[in-house]
Amino acid sequence: MSRGYFIVFEGVDGSGTTTQSRLLASHLREAGLPVTLTREPGGTPVAEKIRQFVLDPSLEGISPMSELFLYAASRSQHVAEVIVPSLDRGDVVICDRYIASSLAYQGYGRGLNLEEIEQINRLAVGECLPDATIYLTLPVEVAWKRLGQRDSADRLEQTGMALQEKVARGYQEIANRDPAGLVFDAQLEINRLAERIQGALRRRWSWFPEEKK
Ligand code: TYD
């Protein structure tokens, strides 16, 4: 591989993007491939500070536009400091959330203009777009139950099911028009879902490692 490959996981809160990013990273590492596993918002010390700020449950009254800029600021730092250098080294970069999260949450969820979100993100990331985006779909009621089982919910998770419903519908539309998108049912058992994702990537890319025996 010369330039690496950039794989993003997306989905509503509770859909398991973090778990599935980790499982994919372990699979590729076990096969001896160089992997950078990272997440948004965050992924670098500066961006993790922005994450703490933007996800702070006590942060009230922030406007959707300010939120959009904070996520874009985190993303810009992350692209420059981690994603592009890792791809240049030839790593497979696996990122838990990316631009589609801003479209789904700040656009479909909070009502900001989708084209403006794309423009701001283009400024933030330049040409650095995913080679594949894996969308995990989950009915909102199921997502909600899963979240209830966690001990702490962040500010966004506390804003309610109505927002999550808009976000879920948004993801459907985003996935439908994403040529690099792959959609999976997040209700599948964790390991079966991981195998399905790996199978789809194996069919797409000849370098993708064989199934574990
Ligand atoms: P995440 O790290 O997946 O949350 P958790 O670790 O609690 O599972 O994402 C944090 C929240 O940030 C999630 O509700 C989605 C939201 N978000 C946006 O609204 N816009 C964005 O651009 C990104 C990256 C995340």
Side-chain angles (χ1 to χ4, degrees):
M1 271 189 262
S2 44
R3 177 192 178 269
Y5 284 80
F6 184 18
I7 304 171
V8 169
F9 280 84
E10 293 282 359
V12 293
D13 292 285
S15 61
T17 58
T18 305
T19 307
Q20 290 300 327
S21 330
R22 287 187 187 144
L23 288 173
L24 181 62
S26 323
H27 176 69
L28 296 177
R29 282 183 181 135
E30 277 169 28
L33 290 172
V35 174
T36 295
L37 173 62
T38 188
R39 67 162 180 188
E40 290 208 353
T44 80
V46 170
E48 288 291 332
K49 288 237 158 150
I50 301 174
R51 178 188 175 91
Q52 276 168 19
F53 179 76
V54 76
L55 297 182
D56 180 350
S58 67
L59 186 66
E60 274 172 29
I62 186 169
S63 74
M65 191 55 94
S66 303
E67 223 171 44
L68 174 67
F69 279 115
L70 286 169
Y71 286 114
S74 159
R75 185 160 300 134
S76 177
Q77 184 77 27
H78 188 210
V79 165
E81 212 179 312
V82 175
I83 300 179
V84 165
S86 306
L87 289 171
D88 285 347
R89 272 201 308 271
D91 283 14
V92 180
V93 175
I94 300 172
C95 190
D96 185 355
R97 301 190 177 284
Y98 198 57
I99 297 172
S101 283
S102 287
L103 290 166
Y105 285 83
Q106 281 65 60
Y108 290 91
R110 304 278 187 201
L112 294 184
N113 180 285
L114 296 175
E115 264 174 39
E116 286 175 9
I117 298 176
E118 280 179 353
Q119 279 167 9
I120 287 164
N121 274 280
R122 208 163 301 133
L123 288 177
V125 311
E127 299 297 307
C128 186
L129 297 175
D131 296 299
T133 297
I134 290 155
Y135 296 92
L136 304 181
T137 64
L138 194 63
V140 175
E141 315 76 63
V142 181
W144 206 243
K145 275 201 198 115
R146 285 191 186 178
L147 291 176
Q149 287 164 6
R150 291 198 200 162
D151 27 5
S152 73
D154 62 34
R155 187 176 59 81
L156 292 166
E157 287 164 4
Q158 285 167 10
T159 53
M161 203 148 139
L163 175 84
Q164 297 288 339
E165 257 157 22
K166 290 187 202 161
V167 171
R169 273 200 301 278
Y171 269 127
Q172 258 171 19
E173 291 188 20
I174 297 164
N176 280 343
R177 56 168 195 265
D178 180 353
L182 293 163
V183 179
F184 297 90
D185 177 0
Q187 287 185 92
L188 282 172
E189 187 273 322
I190 290 177
N191 291 307
R192 273 196 74 201
L193 176 56
E195 281 165 17
R196 290 265 176 99
I197 293 169
Q198 289 162 21
L201 293 174
R202 199 171 289 121
R203 284 191 292 281
R204 181 175 282 202
W205 292 322
S206 56
W207 58 265
F208 198 90
E210 285 305 301
E211 228 172 307
K212 265 185 288 186
K213 289 280 166 330

